[in-house]
Amino acid sequence: MKRLNTAMALLGLLISLNLACKTEPDAKAIRKEVLNIHDKLMLDGEKLIKNRMHLDTILIAEKQKKSADTAQMTDLISKLNQADEKMMDWMHFFKDDFKGKTAQEDLDYYKSQMIKIRAVEDDYIKLIRASDSVLKVHHISPVKKHHHVHQHKH
């Protein structure tokens, strides 16, 4: 009988440890990470817009000189605009208070949003680097990011 009780206690311990070591994050954790990425991108978005404005100014001057850089700069400005629009679209359609019928639906929704916001983040990183490089060639220092945090009202 003592062996059976010990075995049952051990089985109970293993089950509780297995449940405690669940590796799959829950919908709340993913939602929080999505919102953290959003907050970071809001700051990066300021830099993206300022870089685009600088490039617009340079482009006007370059067109007057008939420079070969104008096509590349026009394309970069277009991509910066597209990245900004992609972020605006994501924000417009994101449901911060999403409530599915099941916990799995909640998890699936926030996972899908993570994929979308990561794609926006990838675009921002790539385009900010590209625009910083062009601005440096034209002797314009890249804009430094602000380090303040926006607070969400949930």
Side-chain angles (χ1 to χ4, degrees):
M1 190 68 174
K2 189 174 180 185
R3 287 177 93 160
L4 182 60
N5 287 340
T6 304
M8 291 301 285
L10 185 58
L11 182 61
L13 178 64
L14 288 173
I15 290 171
S16 64
L17 283 174
N18 188 34
L19 292 175
C21 295
K22 195 169 121 180
T23 57
E24 181 74 22
D26 65 357
K28 266 187 184 174
I30 294 174
R31 178 185 162 275
K32 183 177 186 214
E33 189 175 346
V34 166
L35 292 173
N36 287 341
I37 294 168
H38 163 268
D39 290 349
K40 178 189 169 295
L41 290 178
M42 292 304 294
L43 296 175
D44 291 348
E46 292 176 26
K47 181 172 176 38
L48 186 126
I49 298 300
K50 288 177 181 173
N51 281 7
R52 187 190 67 209
M53 290 169 52
H54 286 305
L55 290 172
D56 281 334
T57 302
I58 294 167
L59 184 61
I60 291 167
E62 293 293 315
K63 281 184 178 177
Q64 292 171 353
K65 294 187 226 170
K66 302 283 186 205
S67 171
D69 289 343
T70 59
Q72 177 192 9
M73 221 173 297
T74 300
D75 183 54
L76 184 55
I77 290 168
S78 175
K79 287 178 181 173
L80 289 165
N81 286 331
Q82 289 169 8
D84 186 44
E85 287 173 23
K86 192 173 178 180
M87 178 64 174
M88 294 302 141
D89 287 346
W90 180 84
M91 288 190 310
H92 178 76
F93 291 108
F94 177 70
K95 292 177 179 45
D96 186 20
D97 58 352
F98 181 81
K99 297 280 185 249
K101 294 177 184 160
T102 66
Q104 186 62 48
E105 287 174 335
D106 288 354
L107 182 62
D108 291 346
Y109 175 76
Y110 288 113
K111 280 182 173 181
S112 73
Q113 294 305 305
M114 176 65 76
I115 291 166
K116 291 176 184 177
I117 197 71
R118 287 281 189 198
V120 172
E121 182 182 42
D122 290 347
D123 286 348
Y124 269 43
I125 291 167
K126 180 175 64 175
L127 292 167
I128 287 172
R129 283 182 184 153
S131 58
D132 281 352
S133 294
V134 172
L135 292 174
K136 283 179 187 174
V137 167
H138 290 275
H139 309 291
I140 297 176
S141 297
V143 178
K144 300 289 183 225
K145 288 191 248 180
H146 299 287
H147 292 285
H148 55 83
V149 177
H150 296 281
Q151 295 294 320
H152 281 285
K153 294 178 184 170
H154 303 290

